[in-house]
Amino acid sequence: MEPMANEHAALHETGAPEAAAMRVRSRKVRKELNQETADALVRRLCHLLDAGDFFGRNASLPPLEKIGKLFLASSEDKNQSEFNCAVSPKVRQQVPLLFQAMAGVMEERTGLLIQSTAEINGEGFGRGLLYSGRVILVLKSLRAGFPFPFTSSEKTIRYGVECIEEGLAFLDNYKEMTSQHGLLSLEG
């Protein structure tokens, strides 16, 4: 046997760390959602949906039903987006609304002004951004509209909560650096 073949066979036989890195990775384990953050996200999203419901036709609906009716895309919208690579109007509505809701929850948690910018073009490419001052807290690239359009409220809430937790963790990492002069003092 060649020396390379012997090394490769030895890696698979032993419990070496290199062998573990070569194995096929499994899906990451989903951790439990912070229920308080999830509830705040649902509340903020419902407030944004109520602001667009000019005549209050859906004001009496429970929050998850309101999200399902006014925010979530239907399976036909999802199939249309996947079929012709064009983004439906429902998806173009979902992206900025979700990022605005996430920014509102982060404002409640931190007391800072958190701003959101989200855009998606007709082909489904774009970005969502949450920032405060000069610090970018969350930056999500949208490729072919992925992960949008959301068709279930559970996936929507999970995505929103994960983005919020990512932004809050990033903010905590730089809290010491910005404690004296605030977020606007960061250069670069």
Side-chain angles (χ1 to χ4, degrees):
M1 274 179 134
E2 296 178 359
M4 291 292 284
N6 287 336
E7 290 174 8
H8 186 66
L11 284 177
H12 285 295
E13 291 173 5
T14 63
E18 295 87 9
M22 294 178 71
R23 290 187 197 127
V24 177
R25 293 184 183 183
S26 62
R27 289 186 172 199
K28 70 178 188 177
V29 178
R30 291 192 172 189
K31 65 178 188 170
E32 192 67 29
L33 287 181
N34 181 348
Q35 193 59 41
E36 184 179 335
T37 305
D39 292 341
L41 180 66
V42 168
R43 182 177 39 78
R44 278 288 182 161
L45 193 54
C46 285
H47 287 313
L48 289 170
L49 292 172
D50 285 340
D53 186 17
F54 303 115
F55 299 110
R57 293 181 179 133
N58 300 302
S60 62
L61 294 176
L64 290 179
E65 191 175 332
K66 186 182 297 183
I67 290 172
K69 184 174 182 181
L70 298 176
F71 182 76
L72 296 177
S74 65
S75 57
E76 293 89 28
D77 288 335
K78 186 168 186 168
N79 290 337
Q80 177 188 1
S81 294
E82 292 172 353
F83 177 70
N84 62 6
C85 297
V87 177
S88 69
K90 192 77 165 185
V91 174
R92 295 187 85 168
Q93 176 194 13
Q94 274 187 350
V95 174
L97 276 176
L98 185 59
F99 278 91
Q100 285 175 357
M102 289 188 289
V105 172
M106 290 178 70
E107 280 183 356
E108 288 176 4
R109 298 277 187 267
T110 63
L112 299 170
L113 178 66
I114 308 291
Q115 297 166 327
S116 70
T117 301
E119 62 181 0
I120 187 168
N121 66 13
E123 296 175 350
F125 294 98
R127 70 181 50 92
L129 180 70
L130 297 174
Y131 60 97
S132 181
R134 293 184 180 180
V135 178
I136 296 173
L137 303 173
V138 176
L139 175 64
K140 295 292 182 182
S141 294
L142 307 173
R143 305 264 186 240
F146 183 78
F148 295 89
F150 286 114
T151 56
S152 77
S153 57
E154 293 83 23
K155 288 182 181 180
T156 306
I157 294 167
R158 177 167 293 279
Y159 180 80
V161 169
E162 287 173 356
C163 287
I164 291 167
E165 290 174 353
E166 176 186 336
L168 293 176
F170 189 81
L171 193 60
D172 285 341
N173 288 342
Y174 290 93
K175 188 176 270 188
E176 186 176 309
M177 190 184 308
T178 61
S179 62
Q180 290 183 357
H181 304 290
L183 291 175
L184 294 175
S185 68
L186 288 179
E187 293 295 325

